[in-house]
Amino acid sequence: MQPSSLNLAALPTAVSCSRMFVRHTLKRWNLPDQIDPAELIASELVTNAVKATGVTMPNPGWGDLEKVALINVRLAAHRDGVSIQVWDASLEPPVQPAAGAAAGAEGGRGLFIVRAVARQVGHFYPRGGGKVVWAELALDAPVPPLPRRAAKTPTIQLPLPDPDLLRKVLAGLQRL
């Protein structure tokens, strides 16, 4: 399966858009069991990317949106897993959950949740700049290869010769 990606403005609405993108893509890839955990991971990673590079105020004005950053969400299915990657323009490493973080705190547990759901989590800095934070989900069964269609040989049915029709065509051509 070809990887699939989506560019989004780094705004709070990117979280719900990324969830829809993940749901649609995994349905198309026939991986319905991965939808819920992949949506959770994508929403946490996108939330962190928006906090790192985007506009987080509830009602931004046009001036606040003038130079809004982009983020990129990418999904890839491998033989035994699905990876979710989120790129943002920040060079700051992802915020790791603090040991013994307050249970009532509203934020700061995004990567903790991702680590609890995913098989692997990490980040890297691509040559083009910014950072990519990624997580990989394990598949219960390997991703089957896409079926190949058998090549069809074209079959052309030529009409049987019709002597009367041929005489009429010849007579019409001769009159010209």
Side-chain angles (χ1 to χ4, degrees), residues 22-44:
V22 166
R23 177 171 291 278
H24 172 75
T25 302
L26 293 180
K27 277 184 180 178
R28 194 177 72 217
W29 290 350
N30 198 25
L31 296 172
D33 295 341
Q34 302 304 317
I35 291 174
D36 288 339
E39 278 186 323
L40 175 64
I41 289 170
S43 64
E44 294 297 336

Side-chain angles (χ1 to χ4, degrees), residues 5-176:
S5 66
L6 177 67
N7 288 324
L8 297 165
L11 298 168
T13 54
V15 177
S16 61
C17 291
S18 69
R19 291 176 69 94
M20 287 188 290
F21 167 68
V22 166
R23 177 171 291 278
H24 172 75
T25 302
L26 293 180
K27 277 184 180 178
R28 194 177 72 217
W29 290 350
N30 198 25
L31 296 172
D33 295 341
Q34 302 304 317
I35 291 174
D36 288 339
E39 278 186 323
L40 175 64
I41 289 170
S43 64
E44 294 297 336
L45 296 182
V46 169
T47 297
N48 289 348
V50 170
K51 286 180 182 176
T53 64
V55 176
T56 58
M57 59 186 71
N59 297 310
W62 286 110
D64 300 319
L65 300 175
E66 189 173 32
K67 293 185 180 179
V68 70
L70 289 179
I71 60 175
N72 179 272
V73 181
R74 183 175 188 269
L75 293 174
H78 312 285
R79 178 153 175 74
D80 64 344
V82 173
S83 67
I84 301 107
Q85 301 176 359
V86 177
W87 174 88
D88 65 57
S90 173
L91 294 174
E92 295 294 319
V95 177
Q96 301 297 324
E106 286 197 26
R109 294 189 304 267
L111 281 180
F112 179 77
I113 293 168
V114 170
R115 288 184 193 284
V117 174
R119 170 172 58 188
Q120 295 179 348
V121 178
H123 71 281
F124 64 92
Y125 299 94
R127 288 184 186 171
K131 74 174 173 295
V132 174
V133 182
W134 59 270
E136 185 176 84
L137 291 168
L139 294 178
D140 296 332
V143 176
L146 291 176
R148 298 256 183 228
R149 290 185 180 173
K152 292 184 180 179
T153 55
T155 56
I156 300 173
Q157 281 283 4
L158 296 175
L160 295 173
D162 182 357
D164 290 333
L165 177 63
L166 291 174
R167 279 190 212 103
K168 289 178 185 177
V169 170
L170 180 60
L173 290 171
Q174 287 172 344
R175 280 186 240 143
L176 294 172

